[in-house]
């Protein structure tokens, strides 16, 4: 069966004479056991709400299928999922290597929380490839890859990084939120843990936060699960249910996000106001050749580097948008556009471009309507000072 077919069936109730299409929401803290023996043996891991209910297991099964892993576990947000994956493999005195383009709140966790507990983070150029070797040592326990980076979209050479990391005894954690697991398979390319902010494309409706951690093998999965248990991590059954519902339409939505994203990026690339399109499917994006080798497609999130603008022009652009929402996050059915500032979060490779960067998340609206919205905003920008 093809992945599209498997995703429709994954985590659904097993055939009984009469059953609902979707697994129902099972809300529980306490589970009751009919006998003392049942209690002491536990019933298929479903023993207490914090360890998950059948609703959580159903989502985990479906995401694991999508990511091609050994086991998937859930976290209360994408940020929590990345941070838990790091916590699972480090102790005081260890080092982490993280891409300079990594999601900024993860950077704050590394430079704040982990530093207080004696873990040091070293940031590397996302285009480092096999030269990561020079930064590896027995102290490095995790390499954190985010490909593409979610502001500037550099694509990393995950197979080369993973090979070097594994030779040195480090694990590789990959943030796979951008591809939603549809266009990129980090575990197949050497990652030990593939993490997603399911908040974005998996849930797909901008109404919940959730994270997923998919481990490549049993030992990694055990370390991840023990970390979640010891930290008391929990996800509501309602959010797990909604995310699984989102997954049923994921492939269809991603095809549309991809098509609209490409259409918008092509149109913007021809505009005189735009210096460069930062979209992995475009030659102008660093790492584009690796994208062509390792990805089967693109999602709807990309940025444009604008020619230098006055503050009033930036304001006029955003205030003129009528369809694009101005707000954080991405991956929902609605299009978004935000002014991002990569210069604030780089240390290994400072961002020195003069113009502002606008990030767009292509939603499911009609692409021509979205282009008209951008056209209107660019006209307002040109008229402003
Ligand atoms: C690449 C990436 N990873 C992780 C996260 C964190 O996800 P959440 O908002 O669910 O914590 C985000 C959120 O924007 C993100 O862009």
């Amino acid at each position: 069966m093809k992945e599209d077919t498997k995703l429709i069936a994954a985590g659904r109730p097993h055939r009984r004479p009469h059953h609902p299409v979707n697994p129902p929401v099972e809300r529980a803290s306490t589970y009751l056991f009919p006998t003392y023996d049942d209690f002491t043996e536990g019933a298929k891991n479903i023993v207490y709400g914090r360890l998950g209910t059948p609703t959580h297991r159903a989502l985990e099964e479906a995401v694991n299928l999508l990511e091609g892993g050994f086991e998937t576990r859930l976290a209360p947000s994408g940020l929590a999922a990345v941070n838990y994956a790091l916590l699972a493999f480090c102790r005081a005195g260890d080092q982490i290597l993280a891409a300079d383009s990594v999601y900024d709140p993860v950077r704050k966790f590394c430079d704040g929380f982990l530093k207080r507990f004696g873990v040091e983070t070293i940031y590397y150029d996302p285009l480092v490839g096999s030269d990561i070797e020079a930064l590896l040592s027995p102290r490095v326990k995790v390499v954190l890859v985010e490909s593409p980076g979610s502001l500037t979209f550099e694509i990393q050479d995950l197979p080369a990084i993973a090979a070097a990391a594994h030779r040195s005894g480090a694990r590789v954690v990959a943030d796979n939120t951008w591809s939603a697991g549809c266009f990129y398979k980090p575990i197949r390319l050497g990652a030990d843990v593939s993490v997603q902010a399911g908040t974005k494309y998996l849930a797909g409706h901008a109404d919940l936060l959730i994270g997923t951690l998919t481990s490549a093998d049993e030992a990694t999965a055990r370390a991840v699960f023990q970390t979640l248990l010891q930290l008391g991590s929990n996800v509501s059954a309602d959010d797990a249910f909604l995310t699984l519902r989102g997954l049923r339409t994921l492939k269809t939505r991603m095809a549309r996000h991809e098509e609209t994203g490409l259409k918008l990026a092509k149109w913007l690339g021809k505009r005189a106001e735009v210096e460069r399109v930062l979209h992995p499917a475009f030659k102008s994006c660093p790492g584009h050749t690796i994208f062509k080798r390792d990805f089967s497609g693109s999602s709807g999130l990309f940025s444009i580097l604008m020619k230098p603008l006055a503050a009033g022009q930036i304001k006029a652009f955003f205030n003129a948008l009528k369809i694009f929402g101005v707000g954080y996050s991405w991956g929902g059915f609605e299009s978004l556009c935000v002014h991002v500032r990569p210069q604030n979060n780089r240390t290994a490779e400072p961002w020195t471009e003069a113009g502002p960067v606008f990030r767009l998340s292509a939603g499911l609206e009609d692409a021509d309507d979205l282009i008209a919205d951008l056209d209107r905003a660019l006209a307002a920008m040109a008229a402003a000072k």
Side-chain angles (χ1 to χ4, degrees):
M1 277 193 285
K2 298 269 197 319
E3 191 175 84
D4 299 49
T5 313
K6 288 191 204 159
L7 263 186
I8 298 299
R12 297 249 307 271
H14 293 296
R15 284 173 194 274
R16 296 186 262 127
H18 186 231
H19 61 83
V21 169
N22 283 313
V25 181
E26 185 161 312
R27 301 178 59 87
S29 57
T30 299
Y31 279 88
L32 300 174
F33 297 88
T35 67
Y36 179 84
D37 284 345
D38 290 324
F39 176 68
T40 45
E41 282 164 29
K44 292 187 204 147
N45 273 335
I46 310 282
V47 292
Y48 184 58
R50 205 171 53 239
L51 283 75
T53 73
T55 315
H56 300 87
R57 290 290 115 77
L59 173 61
E60 289 165 356
E61 183 186 320
V63 174
N64 193 49
L65 188 146
L66 182 66
E67 294 272 7
F70 172 80
E71 180 178 277
T72 297
R73 295 285 178 180
L74 307 176
S77 69
L79 178 60
V82 179
N83 295 349
Y84 293 167
L86 300 178
L87 281 171
F89 304 110
C90 337
R91 63 182 68 190
D94 289 344
Q95 288 179 332
I96 291 172
L97 301 184
D100 209 21
S101 50
V102 79
Y103 180 55
D104 189 52
V106 171
R107 207 178 169 107
K108 292 197 167 67
F109 175 73
C110 292
D111 296 344
F113 190 101
L114 287 181
K115 192 173 171 199
R116 279 197 284 127
F117 288 83
V119 177
E120 184 189 8
T121 304
I122 295 163
Y123 296 94
Y124 67 86
D125 176 357
L127 303 177
V128 71
S130 55
D131 288 345
I132 195 131
E133 195 98 49
L135 296 172
L136 287 160
S137 77
R139 275 184 72 197
V140 175
K141 293 299 184 315
V142 185
V143 180
L144 174 61
V145 173
E146 186 186 306
S147 185
S150 65
L151 300 187
T152 44
F153 298 91
E154 299 90 340
I155 295 285
Q156 297 190 43
D157 192 343
L158 176 57
I161 291 174
H166 290 158
R167 276 197 301 277
S168 178
R171 281 200 166 79
V172 176
V173 174
D175 186 328
N176 193 21
T177 308
W178 184 79
S179 98
C182 292
F183 303 121
Y184 193 48
K185 305 289 181 186
I187 289 181
R188 213 180 279 158
L189 297 171
D192 299 280
V193 187
S194 179
V195 172
Q196 282 197 52
T199 310
K200 319 291 181 199
Y201 287 120
L202 300 188
H205 293 72
D207 50 9
L208 64 90
L209 289 126
I210 199 165
T212 67
L213 299 102
T214 302
S215 300
D217 58 73
E218 192 172 358
T220 305
R222 204 177 312 121
V224 166
F225 187 47
Q226 282 308 314
T227 304
L228 297 181
L229 275 184
Q230 288 166 27
L231 288 169
S233 175
N234 178 248
V235 171
S236 93
D238 300 84
D239 289 346
F241 172 86
L242 286 171
T243 306
L244 185 57
R245 188 155 74 168
L247 228 72
R248 304 298 180 208
T249 55
L250 180 70
K251 290 286 209 154
T252 314
R253 286 187 285 112
M254 292 313 289
R256 176 66 175 255
H257 287 301
E258 175 176 40
E259 185 189 334
T260 303
L262 288 170
K263 206 164 170 183
L264 298 184
K266 263 182 212 148
W267 184 84
L268 285 162
K270 291 192 191 127
R271 295 288 304 214
E273 303 90 330
V274 175
E275 178 70 37
R276 201 160 75 238
V277 172
L278 304 172
H279 186 307
F282 283 58
K283 272 202 191 113
S284 52
C285 195
H288 171 68
T289 47
I290 294 167
F291 171 80
K292 284 207 293 192
R293 185 191 70 192
D294 291 348
F295 287 69
S296 59
S298 51
S299 68
L301 187 78
F302 67 98
S303 288
I304 43 173
L305 170 64
M306 303 296 288
K307 299 217 169 112
L309 294 172
Q313 292 181 297
I314 298 176
K315 215 182 265 186
F317 174 86
F318 284 97
N319 286 342
L321 291 170
K322 290 203 169 97
I323 301 176
F324 279 90
V326 180
Y328 285 117
S329 203
W330 42 282
F333 55 82
E334 83 297 3
S335 291
L336 297 172
C337 186
V338 278
H339 177 196
V340 296
R341 294 174 177 80
Q343 62 273 21
N344 292 352
N345 352 37
R346 298 296 186 104
T347 49
E349 287 292 309
W351 182 263
T352 54
E353 300 289 354
V357 177
F358 297 166
R359 189 182 71 180
L360 294 92
S361 175
L364 304 179
E365 303 91 340
D366 182 273
D368 292 335
D369 288 340
L370 292 171
I371 286 174
D373 203 32
L374 292 171
D375 198 26
R376 186 169 41 242
L378 289 171
M381 187 183 91
K385 291 202 179 108

